[in-house]
Amino acid sequence: MKGYNGKILRVNLSTRQVSSEEPTEEYYKTYLGGRGFIVHTLLKEVPRGADPLGPENKLVFALGPITGHPFPGSGRNSVGAKSPLSGGYGESEAGGFWGAELKRSGYDAIIVEGKSDEPVYLWIQNGRPEIRDARNLWGLDVAETEKEIRKELQDARVRTAAIGPAGEKLVRYASICNDITHAAGRTGMGAVMGSKKLKAVAVRGNAPPEMGNREKVLELSRWMGQNFKTKTNFWQYGTGQAMDYYEASGNLPIRNFAAGRFPEVEGITSQSMFKKGYVEKMESCFGCPVRCKKMVKLNQPWKVDPIYGGPEYETLGAFGSCCGVGQVEAIMKANELCCRNGMDTISAGVTISFAMECFEKGVLTLKETDGLELTFGNGPAMVEMVERIALRKGLGNILAEGTKRAAEVIGKGSAEWAMHVKGEEIPMHEPRYKQGMGLHYSVHATGADHCSGIHDDVVNKKLAEWDWIGLAESVPVYEMSGRKARMLYEVGLWRHLANSIGLCLFVPWSNEQVTQALEAITGWPMSSHKLMKTVERAMTLARIFNLREGFSRRDDTLPRRFASSPTDSTLKGVGVDPEKLASAQKVYYQMLGWDESGVPTSARLVELNIEWAAQYLHGGQ
Amino acid sequence: MKGYNGKILRVNLSTRQVSSEEPTEEYYKTYLGGRGFIVHTLLKEVPRGADPLGPENKLVFALGPITGHPFPGSGRNSVGAKSPLSGGYGESEAGGFWGAELKRSGYDAIIVEGKSDEPVYLWIQNGRPEIRDARNLWGLDVAETEKEIRKELQDARVRTAAIGPAGEKLVRYASICNDITHAAGRTGMGAVMGSKKLKAVAVRGNAPPEMGNREKVLELSRWMGQNFKTKTNFWQYGTGQAMDYYEASGNLPIRNFAAGRFPEVEGITSQSMFKKGYVEKMESCFGCPVRCKKMVKLNQPWKVDPIYGGPEYETLGAFGSCCGVGQVEAIMKANELCCRNGMDTISAGVTISFAMECFEKGVLTLKETDGLELTFGNGPAMVEMVERIALRKGLGNILAEGTKRAAEVIGKGSAEWAMHVKGEEIPMHEPRYKQGMGLHYSVHATGADHCSGIHDDVVNKKLAEWDWIGLAESVPVYEMSGRKARMLYEVGLWRHLANSIGLCLFVPWSNEQVTQALEAITGWPMSSHKLMKTVERAMTLARIFNLREGFSRRDDTLPRRFASSPTDSTLKGVGVDPEKLASAQKVYYQMLGWDESGVPTSARLVELNIEWAAQYLHGGQ
């Protein structure tokens, strides 16, 4: 099979059994990769009601057909499990080099099941898997882990996907880090890995899979090499360069989504880190000329080691404006601590901003914070709290549970300002500004996720790019309506696609080029029609997973705070009207072939060739 | 605008006003052509409850973007109106040269409204329309009409779309004939034209529209010129060459769909006409190398003039096996009479076979037939009856109303063997054999139509061709199920597409090539995803048209005869189970975004960007 290895590795950590499976070509065509592989596995194999941190949960690393091919943006992989944050479908993507290396080592996916008694790591070299002792690695941070594994294996080119102390301690938003700096941050996959006592997956291989039409792939790659600089400016400052524009437009969350302006914004932009000389260099993922990753260094007032990368936009927002912190150095340190410890910066930042609001409202006091003045804007307190969360110290132990659970423990009405959907903290795109993104947050299987969904303003600005797929209509950012649901449907499907094929959304490929690349890599005929059905297939299965776990339409909601906006904000007077949201959801559900309650119709299961999943809608497990 | 003229001609025959409209590019992109233009016009402009044969009905000739371009298969156009046969949405397609000539004369469509007091014809020369006196043409047959018009205009290259005496006499299945032999046969468009006293539309033009990428179009055309002979065998014997195979498989309707075998089948195949030396030559449509049209000549026992073409498969079936007639000469004559008089051969043949069954059952006697022994197999009686229908003589006057109305007049339980859906007679593909086609017959807006729908056996045989769009599954021909609904949905959409773009299904283009051609011709980016949404848009509007006219789910049915099969048939024991049909319909409806009753959901209207049509679902007109 072109584009794939045709093999999936299954590792049972309870029994220490390791086996290799070879799914049919039909399976690959139907589920394609990434999310498709993951959701198929979880729905069929994880029993209903399984504890996300128990041995019944399964952790699936899944590549896409594009992963690891000489095509810029192909450095990504997905990882999924039942989420300890939401209790529903969990999935996250990461870039780097690990995915490409896994592909070269002979597998398309790894299913990790059971639970080890002692810490272990998995070592895969050219198709030979081995479970190895990791007792000496337990407690090490992400970079130390990679270093020690390379030393042990006597191979400096081993790639690792590892957890840090946060994963070990089951912080519910612990991440899994590819190559130290590339985090699969969301939905707590690092905690699942930690619960299985799996410290790392180390890979090394030198057998890239064949391509259907190598020349065509290389032709596309050359084109991108020649054109990316005119189509994106991520090569210049990476992400976080438009923060002042975002602050002005109302897209930037400020002080736990409760404030309207953030005058210090200029100080926390990407450009400001360049100006201050903090950026050591720009790094890339596998085979990508864009090189959008900043590696930052700092000596004062904190020491920040560039080996841990640097803060991206989401991190600058979550630890910056969302915590009211204008001190970029504090953000850099918070970012480094998250990377060291293997912890999602969005959830960490938003959870701390939640705690700050609790503190400012007197719901948390110096007693609970062990003397920490946890006010908005207090950078050092924030940095300290990041470390306490990672190590579950004091209040950190509660905040390590995420906003939803923390609010349940803290009580006193704090649930009102716990900014999450389905337990997943809201990322740094204001759903009041980008209401299409808000609609997505509300309905997406993993909760509030920004790696799919749409950026309403960008879509409106680049409408011509969507002519190919037939979306000809601009819809105002603030509008929540059926037409906005259509925009989310038509545009969003393509963004979801990336999560099944291993593609980065930062490389400025057109949808047509992506389709061509998939055809050239797999050698299978590919149409946009087929690809969109494939996307809907995985989305529908994820929906079914959640329904089986007890989720319903009632969980498709946004925090009440979004119904209005702060009076000092550009968004003044703008809110996500709950009734309009509900009615746009109904439209969106139906576009996906779900009924008005968001339950997939049996007809759509037939259309998507997943009739097997019907049983999970009807009381089966 | 590339691929189009950007102009639509509006002709009011009551007021004799002629005007030209220039729709926006958005309109063209949204509705594309053919069915899209027609249904948009009918729904918005023809009032609910309008008499199909009254001045309120409108007759729309609509080209597709492909029509008239140097791309084999581009000779087709659509013509539509409220159907006098069904009372619902009416539409038919025809090939030939007329459509290409209309495109060169400056228009993409003609909307004919009102009604003339005296016979007229429309003459369009290079964008100059003129309503001309046709009193001298009234009563002439189709070929004579063209001849006289050419004489009058002193231009032997004028192309005509004309009606014959059947259209004038409002035979409810009268056709409109392009270039004499290319009939828009179904749904009675010729009767609508006759009711408006419009004898013909004569066109002449020499301004082909521009193409977005002429070189690409020519490259595709060259490819077809070099490859068609290996991909189709229509160039050899045209249609009707597989009739013996069809008889053996059970696909061939015999004796009004009531008998199982037809031993005389070999005598009525295309090959037999060749063997007997009846085929004068093969003709083509505009720009097509396939040349699949047989022109047949006969001197005894009837005189058949090759100017009227020759019988295609549907005609060989309808006048042959369906009437139990094994005498190919009789079929040839019946075909010639239909062409002369402008009358659909399928509806004529099936209506006569209905009358034959009435006669054999004693429901009709020699008294009603004026002495004609109207038994199955009686070729001369059949030929005589064709003429009587065209001229509405005796029993012919009743049969000119179609099987549904004829059965109402004749009574005595004859409705039981009136083989139609929504008043449209069933074509020559057995719904018991091709159950996907049967499902299509039951739900299609115009009734039992074979120009869209699927040939289950062919799809199964050529499954690889559908890999591009994602249908990977073979489903047995006899199966009526959700999976069969999926096949109809996925494959059928592409067949429906032809009816909006002006493309012939007999030219062996791949779906990908069609998509490329549309992109090259229009210069607009084209994806299969967008095209399928465009197809669904027109289908959904046609559905809404019917719902507005009082149709409901109950009209989506097949004659009860199909619930079982004749015992001497290959199909013995096979039937279309009404419950399975109903449940497959539900699945199909929902794939199209309609609810379980076949009513389009408001969400799908938003998805297809036709929210304007919602009013017609809710009591508006």
Side-chain angles (χ1 to χ4, degrees):
Chain A
M1 226 168 359
K2 309 292 168 67
Y4 299 93
N5 291 301
K7 275 166 123 180
I8 287 178
L9 178 64
R10 185 179 291 271
V11 178
N12 188 311
L13 293 179
S14 299
T15 63
R16 303 236 163 184
Q17 272 194 321
V18 172
S19 60
S20 172
E21 290 164 15
E22 298 185 15
T24 60
E25 182 164 320
E26 200 49 41
Y27 173 85
Y28 280 90
K29 282 186 166 180
T30 307
Y31 301 101
L32 209 58
R35 177 181 300 161
F37 290 171
I38 292 168
V39 72
H40 179 272
T41 306
L42 297 186
L43 195 49
K44 288 206 166 179
E45 300 188 16
V46 175
R48 187 217 310 246
D51 176 2
L53 299 176
E56 288 183 326
N57 199 4
K58 302 199 179 187
L59 182 68
V60 184
F61 295 86
L63 309 181
I66 282 187
T67 309
H69 286 285
F71 182 79
S74 69
R76 289 174 80 80
N77 67 276
S78 301
V79 52
K82 184 172 180 179
S83 167
L85 205 50
S86 73
Y89 179 70
E91 177 201 303
S92 191
E93 275 72 33
F97 300 83
W98 181 86
E101 197 72 26
L102 176 61
K103 192 151 245 178
R104 278 161 181 69
S105 83
Y107 295 104
D108 302 311
I110 306 169
I111 301 169
V112 181
E113 48 193 35
K115 183 175 178 168
S116 176
D117 292 329
E118 294 291 339
V120 292
Y121 76 96
L122 183 63
W123 162 230
I124 303 166
Q125 188 180 23
N126 283 319
R128 291 188 306 278
E130 187 187 343
I131 299 171
R132 293 175 68 100
D133 185 5
R135 280 175 295 181
N136 61 322
L137 304 175
W138 210 244
L140 296 187
D141 78 26
V142 169
E144 291 163 349
T145 302
E146 182 176 280
K147 195 177 154 198
E148 284 305 310
I149 288 176
R150 286 178 169 180
K151 212 165 85 183
E152 179 178 315
L153 298 172
Q154 295 182 309
D155 185 344
R157 291 162 76 186
V158 165
R159 301 290 185 179
T160 59
I163 58 169
E168 296 175 15
K169 291 185 183 300
L170 312 180
V171 172
R172 286 190 188 262
Y173 41 87
S175 58
I176 299 173
C177 298
N178 288 356
D179 316 300
I180 306 171
T181 57
H182 305 269
R186 315 271 10 233
T187 72
M189 296 300 99
V192 176
M193 196 156 155
S195 75
K196 299 192 176 306
K197 290 241 164 39
L198 179 64
K199 181 65 177 172
V201 180
V203 292
R204 185 83 165 83
N206 47 27
E210 287 172 54
M211 286 173 271
N213 181 350
R214 190 183 169 79
E215 259 321 298
K216 175 71 183 172
V217 179
L218 296 178
E219 178 198 318
L220 285 164
S221 292
R222 279 192 298 271
W223 181 91
M224 184 56 77
Q226 285 152 14
N227 289 281
F228 75 91
K229 286 201 176 179
T230 63
K231 303 202 158 263
T232 175
N233 50 16
F234 278 153
W235 56 272
Q236 235 170 335
Y237 296 112
T239 64
Q241 58 186 291
M243 297 193 75
D244 38 1
Y245 160 72
Y246 278 175
E247 192 269 347
S249 67
N251 186 55
L252 189 69
I254 301 164
R255 294 186 172 220
N256 201 32
F257 300 84
R261 303 310 302 246
F262 188 63
E264 303 94 321
V265 67
E266 259 188 59
I268 65 167
T269 61
S270 179
Q271 292 90 330
S272 79
M273 285 183 283
F274 274 92
K275 266 189 215 147
K276 289 182 165 177
Y278 295 158
V279 182
E280 277 274 298
K281 57 175 174 174
M282 297 296 270
E283 280 285 11
S284 90
C285 293
F286 173 82
C288 183
V290 178
R291 305 183 72 81
C292 73
K293 310 278 290 181
K294 295 177 285 291
M295 314 301 272
V296 301
K297 188 176 174 181
L298 193 65
N299 292 315
Q300 290 295 333
W302 292 278
K303 202 172 156 48
V304 171
D305 187 340
I307 200 176
Y308 297 103
E312 300 291 342
Y313 168 71
E314 293 293 326
T315 311
L316 291 164
F319 286 128
S321 56
C322 199
C323 286
V325 171
Q327 187 185 12
V328 76
E329 294 79 4
I331 303 171
M332 288 161 62
K333 185 63 190 176
N335 178 70
E336 190 224 48
L337 288 171
C338 282
C339 181
R340 272 185 191 276
N341 290 289
M343 199 161 75
D344 179 35
T345 58
I346 300 173
S347 283
V350 173
T351 304
I352 292 172
S353 78
F354 159 80
M356 285 173 164
E357 186 161 349
C358 290
F359 191 83
E360 299 226 346
K361 286 183 161 145
V363 166
L364 289 176
T365 65
L366 288 172
K367 190 181 152 218
E368 287 87 4
T369 65
D370 295 310
L372 208 59
E373 283 281 349
L374 201 58
T375 52
F376 282 118
N378 187 343
M382 175 183 76
V383 170
E384 172 62 26
M385 191 49 77
V386 171
E387 196 139 29
R388 290 191 195 172
I389 291 172
L391 304 175
R392 283 190 173 269
K393 288 201 295 197
L395 180 63
N397 191 36
I398 291 166
L399 300 184
E401 296 287 289
T403 50
K404 188 184 168 202
R405 286 180 176 76
E408 283 163 14
V409 172
I410 294 167
K412 299 183 185 170
S414 61
E416 195 63 29
W417 58 88
M419 302 305 285
H420 68 86
V421 176
K422 298 181 179 71
E424 190 180 43
E425 284 71 24
I426 310 232
M428 297 299 111
H429 299 273
E430 255 290 352
R432 286 170 288 210
Y433 174 63
K434 298 175 180 170
Q435 299 215 359
M437 183 64 97
L439 175 57
H440 165 73
Y441 287 166
S442 76
V443 298
H444 186 53
T446 69
D449 175 81
H450 70 289
C451 292
S452 38
I454 54 169
H455 299 280
D456 311 35
D457 51 353
V458 178
V459 178
N460 282 336
K461 212 180 293 173
K462 300 186 173 179
L463 218 49
E465 290 182 8
W466 296 99
D467 201 10
W468 187 62
I469 57 116
L471 181 87
E473 200 183 30
S474 155
V475 184
V477 285
Y478 296 164
E479 184 176 317
M480 178 67 81
S481 64
R483 295 191 308 161
K484 188 55 77 65
R486 180 175 174 236
M487 182 186 274
L488 175 62
Y489 174 72
E490 291 287 12
V491 175
L493 288 183
W494 285 95
R495 292 179 56 87
H496 280 294
L497 176 67
N499 301 326
S500 280
I501 63 176
L503 182 66
C504 178
L505 291 168
F506 289 175
V507 183
W509 292 112
S510 72
N511 297 322
E512 197 169 2
Q513 287 172 319
V514 171
T515 306
Q516 290 168 355
L518 282 168
E519 180 160 302
I521 287 172
T522 62
W524 294 328
M526 284 287 171
S527 68
S528 55
H529 177 80
K530 173 157 75 175
L531 287 174
M532 294 305 94
K533 297 289 181 200
T534 305
V535 169
E536 291 189 33
R537 185 174 295 123
M539 287 172 76
T540 296
L541 291 173
R543 182 80 182 177
I544 293 173
F545 185 91
N546 280 357
L547 290 168
R548 185 187 70 165
E549 297 302 326
F551 285 77
S552 77
R553 181 151 197 216
R554 287 186 305 281
D555 299 292
D556 289 352
T557 186
L558 290 175
R560 272 206 282 179
R561 174 158 286 176
F562 293 130
S564 61
S565 287
T567 50
D568 65 333
S569 163
T570 314
L571 300 175
K572 183 185 170 183
V574 174
V576 179
D577 180 74
E579 276 180 37
K580 284 186 184 166
L581 174 64
S583 113
Q585 283 172 340
K586 277 191 196 177
V587 172
Y588 184 66
Y589 293 152
Q590 290 186 63
M591 287 175 178
L592 288 166
W594 307 347
D595 69 17
E596 292 202 345
S597 304
V599 179
T601 63
S602 55
R604 187 56 67 112
L605 300 190
V606 176
E607 182 180 329
L608 300 174
N609 215 8
I610 46 173
E611 284 166 282
W612 61 264
Q615 58 176 306
Y616 301 108
L617 280 175
H618 309 301
Q621 66 145 249
Chain B
M1 225 165 3
K2 309 292 169 67
Y4 299 94
N5 291 301
K7 275 165 123 182
I8 287 179
L9 177 64
R10 185 179 290 272
V11 177
N12 188 310
L13 293 179
S14 299
T15 63
R16 304 237 161 184
Q17 273 194 322
V18 172
S19 60
S20 172
E21 289 164 15
E22 297 186 15
T24 60
E25 183 166 320
E26 201 47 42
Y27 173 84
Y28 280 90
K29 282 185 166 179
T30 307
Y31 301 101
L32 209 59
R35 177 181 298 162
F37 291 171
I38 292 168
V39 72
H40 178 272
T41 306
L42 298 186
L43 195 50
K44 287 207 165 180
E45 300 189 14
V46 175
R48 185 217 310 248
D51 175 2
L53 298 176
E56 287 183 326
N57 199 3
K58 301 199 180 188
L59 182 68
V60 184
F61 295 86
L63 309 181
I66 282 186
T67 309
H69 285 285
F71 182 78
S74 68
R76 288 174 81 80
N77 67 276
S78 302
V79 52
K82 184 171 179 179
S83 167
L85 205 51
S86 73
Y89 179 71
E91 177 201 302
S92 191
E93 274 72 33
F97 299 84
W98 181 86
E101 196 73 25
L102 176 61
K103 192 153 247 179
R104 278 162 182 68
S105 82
Y107 295 105
D108 302 311
I110 306 170
I111 301 170
V112 181
E113 49 193 36
K115 183 176 181 168
S116 177
D117 293 328
E118 295 291 340
V120 292
Y121 77 94
L122 183 62
W123 164 229
I124 303 168
Q125 189 182 22
N126 283 318
R128 289 187 309 278
E130 188 187 343
I131 299 171
R132 292 175 68 102
D133 186 5
R135 280 175 296 182
N136 62 320
L137 304 175
W138 209 245
L140 296 187
D141 79 23
V142 168
E144 291 162 349
T145 303
E146 182 175 280
K147 194 176 156 199
E148 284 305 309
I149 288 176
R150 285 179 170 180
K151 211 165 87 184
E152 181 179 314
L153 298 171
Q154 296 183 307
D155 186 344
R157 292 162 75 186
V158 164
R159 300 291 186 179
T160 60
I163 57 169
E168 297 174 15
K169 292 186 183 299
L170 311 181
V171 172
R172 284 188 190 265
Y173 42 87
S175 59
I176 299 173
C177 298
N178 288 356
D179 315 301
I180 305 171
T181 56
H182 305 270
R186 315 271 8 234
T187 72
M189 297 300 100
V192 176
M193 195 157 157
S195 75
K196 299 192 177 305
K197 291 238 162 38
L198 179 64
K199 182 65 179 171
V201 180
V203 291
R204 185 83 166 82
N206 46 28
E210 288 173 52
M211 286 173 272
N213 183 348
R214 190 183 169 77
E215 257 322 298
K216 176 70 183 172
V217 178
L218 296 178
E219 179 198 318
L220 286 163
S221 292
R222 279 192 298 271
W223 181 92
M224 185 54 78
Q226 286 153 15
N227 289 281
F228 75 90
K229 286 201 177 180
T230 62
K231 299 200 161 264
T232 175
N233 49 15
F234 278 154
W235 56 273
Q236 236 169 334
Y237 296 112
T239 64
Q241 57 187 292
M243 296 193 74
D244 39 2
Y245 160 72
Y246 277 174
E247 193 269 346
S249 67
N251 187 55
L252 190 69
I254 301 164
R255 295 185 173 222
N256 202 31
F257 300 83
R261 302 309 304 243
F262 188 64
E264 303 95 322
V265 67
E266 258 188 59
I268 65 167
T269 60
S270 178
Q271 292 89 332
S272 80
M273 286 184 284
F274 274 92
K275 267 189 213 146
K276 289 183 166 179
Y278 295 157
V279 182
E280 278 274 298
K281 57 175 174 175
M282 298 296 270
E283 280 284 10
S284 90
C285 293
F286 174 81
C288 183
V290 179
R291 304 183 72 80
C292 73
K293 309 278 290 181
K294 295 177 285 290
M295 314 302 272
V296 301
K297 190 177 172 180
L298 194 65
N299 291 315
Q300 290 294 335
W302 291 278
K303 201 172 158 43
V304 171
D305 187 340
I307 199 176
Y308 296 103
E312 301 291 341
Y313 168 71
E314 293 293 326
T315 311
L316 291 163
F319 287 127
S321 56
C322 199
C323 287
V325 171
Q327 189 186 8
V328 76
E329 295 79 4
I331 303 171
M332 288 161 64
K333 185 62 190 178
N335 178 70
E336 190 224 48
L337 288 172
C338 281
C339 182
R340 271 186 191 277
N341 290 288
M343 201 160 77
D344 180 34
T345 59
I346 299 172
S347 283
V350 173
T351 304
I352 291 172
S353 79
F354 159 80
M356 285 173 163
E357 185 161 349
C358 289
F359 190 84
E360 299 227 346
K361 286 185 161 145
V363 167
L364 289 175
T365 65
L366 288 172
K367 191 180 148 216
E368 287 88 3
T369 65
D370 296 310
L372 208 59
E373 283 281 350
L374 201 59
T375 51
F376 281 119
N378 186 342
M382 177 183 74
V383 170
E384 172 62 25
M385 191 49 77
V386 171
E387 196 140 30
R388 290 190 195 172
I389 291 172
L391 305 175
R392 282 188 174 270
K393 288 201 295 195
L395 180 63
N397 191 36
I398 292 166
L399 300 185
E401 296 288 288
T403 49
K404 187 184 168 202
R405 285 179 178 77
E408 282 162 16
V409 172
I410 294 166
K412 298 182 185 169
S414 61
E416 195 63 31
W417 59 88
M419 302 305 284
H420 68 86
V421 177
K422 299 183 179 69
E424 190 179 44
E425 284 71 24
I426 309 230
M428 297 300 111
H429 299 274
E430 255 289 354
R432 285 170 289 210
Y433 174 63
K434 298 175 180 171
Q435 300 216 359
M437 183 64 97
L439 176 57
H440 165 73
Y441 288 166
S442 75
V443 298
H444 185 53
T446 70
D449 176 81
H450 69 288
C451 292
S452 38
I454 55 169
H455 299 280
D456 312 35
D457 51 353
V458 178
V459 178
N460 282 336
K461 212 179 293 173
K462 301 187 172 178
L463 219 49
E465 290 182 8
W466 296 100
D467 201 10
W468 187 61
I469 57 116
L471 182 87
E473 200 184 29
S474 154
V475 185
V477 284
Y478 297 163
E479 183 176 317
M480 178 67 81
S481 63
R483 294 191 309 158
K484 188 56 78 65
R486 179 176 174 235
M487 182 186 275
L488 175 61
Y489 174 73
E490 291 287 12
V491 176
L493 288 184
W494 286 96
R495 293 179 55 87
H496 280 294
L497 177 68
N499 300 326
S500 280
I501 63 176
L503 182 67
C504 178
L505 291 168
F506 288 176
V507 184
W509 293 112
S510 72
N511 297 322
E512 196 169 2
Q513 287 172 318
V514 170
T515 307
Q516 290 169 354
L518 282 168
E519 180 160 301
I521 286 173
T522 62
W524 294 328
M526 284 287 170
S527 67
S528 56
H529 177 81
K530 174 156 77 175
L531 286 174
M532 294 304 95
K533 297 289 180 199
T534 305
V535 168
E536 291 189 34
R537 185 174 295 124
M539 288 173 75
T540 296
L541 291 174
R543 181 79 182 177
I544 293 174
F545 185 91
N546 280 356
L547 291 168
R548 186 187 70 166
E549 297 302 325
F551 285 76
S552 77
R553 180 149 200 216
R554 287 186 306 281
D555 299 291
D556 289 352
T557 186
L558 290 174
R560 272 205 281 179
R561 176 158 285 177
F562 293 130
S564 61
S565 288
T567 49
D568 64 333
S569 163
T570 313
L571 300 176
K572 183 183 168 183
V574 174
V576 179
D577 180 76
E579 275 180 37
K580 285 187 183 165
L581 175 63
S583 110
Q585 283 172 340
K586 277 191 196 177
V587 172
Y588 185 66
Y589 294 153
Q590 289 186 64
M591 287 175 179
L592 287 166
W594 307 347
D595 69 18
E596 291 202 347
S597 304
V599 178
T601 63
S602 56
R604 186 57 66 114
L605 300 190
V606 175
E607 182 179 330
L608 300 174
N609 213 9
I610 46 172
E611 284 167 281
W612 60 265
Q615 58 177 306
Y616 302 108
L617 280 175
H618 309 301
Q621 67 145 253

